[in-house]
Amino acid sequence: MWLDIIIIVLGVAMVLKGADFLTEGAAALARRVNIPEIVIGLTIVAAGTSAPELFVSLVSALKGTPDLAVGNVVGSNTMNCMLIVGCAAIVAPMTISRSTVKKDIPFAVGASVLLMLLALNNFLGRFDGILLLVGFALFMVYSLRQAKNGQGDTPTVEKQRNPWLSALFIVLGLVGLVIGSNLFVDHASNLALSLGISEGVVGLTVVAGGTSLPELATSVVAARKGQSAIAIGNVIGSNVFNILLILGLTATITPLQIEGITTIDMAVMLISVALVWLFSFTRLKVERWEGAFLLIGYLVYLTWLIVSL
C-alpha cells in the first residue's frame, strides 16, 4: 500500500510538471508564429491547467476504470468551487468581474446541468461526448469574440523561448503527462482495491485532489497578490474545460459506464458552482465569510464521502 502511495505522489508530480512544460512550450511556439496573446491565454494556457485532468481521465477510461475518469472531473469541479474558491476568499476577499458573472459562471452552471442530465442513465456515450464537445466549441468561439471586443480578461504569457527548446518542452511535457497519468491511474486503482474503496470515491477525492493542485496553487497565490479576477477566472474556466472538453473528448473516444458516481455527487458539483454564482452577485465579490461557508461545505461533503464508504 505504501508503495502505491509513493508512486501516486510521483505520478502527480510528473503530471503537474508535464502540464507546466507543455503549456510553456506550446505558448512560446504560438507567440513565435504571431498568434494573438489573448488567443494563447484562452486556449493553450487555459488548457494547460486542465491537462492533468484530461490525461488522467483519458487514461482511466482507456484502462477500463471510467469511475476514476468521471469522478476526477466531478471531484475536481466541486473542489475548485468549494475548497479553492473558499481558501482563496479567506486569504483575501475576491472581486469578480461583470463578464465573469454574466458569461463564465453561467456557462459553468449550464455545463454542470448538461452533465447531470446526460449522466441520468449512468452512461456517457459517443453522442453525449460529441454534444459536450459542441458546447465547448461554442464556449471558445464566444470567449474569443468577447476577448477581441476587449470584454475579457487577458492572461499573460511569459517570455519567448528558442523554438527548439520550446519543442523540447512540449515533448518532455507530453512524456511526463503520459507516464505520470499511467502511474497515477494504475496505483490509485490498486490503492482503492487494497482498501476496499470504490474507484468512484478515489476519483472524487485522491485523483481529483491531485489533478486540482495547479488550480489551488494558482488561485491562492493570485488571491494573496490581489489578483482575484485571475483566481476566479482560473477556477471557473477549469470547470468548463473539465466537463465540456475532457469528458466530451473522453466519452467520444471510449463510452463511459458510470457506477460509483451518485446523483448526490453530481448535485453537490452543481450546487457548488451555483453558490459561487450566488455569492458573486453580492457586490461582485466573494467575502471571507462566504469563502468560509464554501470551505465548511466541502469538509461536510468530504466527511459524508468517508462515512458512507
Side-chain angles (χ1 to χ4, degrees), residues 47-202:
T49 59
S50 291
E53 285 92 342
L54 173 59
F55 275 78
V56 169
S57 292
L58 193 55
V59 170
S60 298
L62 292 173
K63 286 180 174 286
T65 53
D67 284 348
L68 275 181
V70 180
N72 177 29
V73 167
V74 174
S76 290
N77 282 16
T78 303
M79 190 174 291
N80 283 349
C81 289
M82 302 191 83
L83 176 63
I84 296 177
V85 173
C87 288
I90 289 172
V91 169
M94 303 175 71
T95 301
I96 317 297
S97 69
R98 289 187 183 275
S99 65
T100 297
V101 173
K102 291 180 178 179
K103 178 203 50 149
D104 297 328
I105 302 181
F107 232 109
V109 172
S112 301
V113 171
L114 178 59
L115 176 59
M116 282 191 69
L117 292 175
L118 293 177
L120 284 176
N121 60 353
N122 294 323
F123 182 75
L124 289 176
R126 286 193 170 90
F127 176 79
D128 300 324
I130 291 170
L131 190 61
L132 291 171
L133 288 176
V134 168
F136 177 73
L138 292 174
F139 173 70
M140 289 307 302
V141 168
Y142 184 71
S143 295
L144 290 171
R145 285 183 176 175
Q146 292 291 90
K148 287 179 181 177
N149 292 334
Q151 297 176 19
D153 297 317
T154 306
T156 57
V157 182
E158 297 195 356
K159 61 182 180 179
Q160 283 193 352
R161 295 181 181 274
N162 179 286
W164 290 106
L165 184 60
S166 299
L168 178 62
F169 267 56
I170 292 172
V171 172
L172 290 176
L174 286 171
V175 170
L177 282 165
V178 171
I179 295 176
S181 298
N182 275 283
L183 289 175
F184 193 16
V185 170
D186 286 344
H187 290 273
S189 299
N190 290 344
L191 186 63
L193 289 173
S194 64
L195 295 176
I197 303 172
S198 74
E199 288 171 345
V201 172
V202 173

Side-chain angles (χ1 to χ4, degrees), residues 230-299:
I230 293 175
I232 195 73
N234 175 47
V235 164
I236 298 304
S238 176
N239 278 23
V240 175
F241 267 70
N242 287 350
I243 293 175
L244 298 181
L245 176 61
I246 294 174
L247 282 185
L249 188 60
T250 304
T252 300
I253 293 172
T254 174
L256 303 171
Q257 184 68 48
I258 307 167
E259 295 177 356
I261 310 302
T262 67
T263 304
I264 294 176
D265 298 318
M266 293 281 189
V268 170
M269 175 190 69
L270 176 59
I271 290 169
S272 66
V273 69
L275 280 173
V276 173
W277 197 18
L278 175 65
F279 292 156
S280 300
F281 276 110
T282 57
R283 293 178 297 173
L284 298 176
K285 183 177 286 189
V286 179
E287 302 285 0
R288 280 196 172 90
W289 75 266
E290 292 169 329
F293 184 86
L294 290 169
L295 183 57
I296 291 169
Y298 183 74
L299 294 176

Side-chain angles (χ1 to χ4, degrees), residues 27-37 39-40 160:
L29 279 181
R31 293 184 74 186
R32 292 193 72 89
V33 294
N34 296 321
I35 293 176
E37 195 148 306
V39 176
I40 297 171
Q160 283 193 352

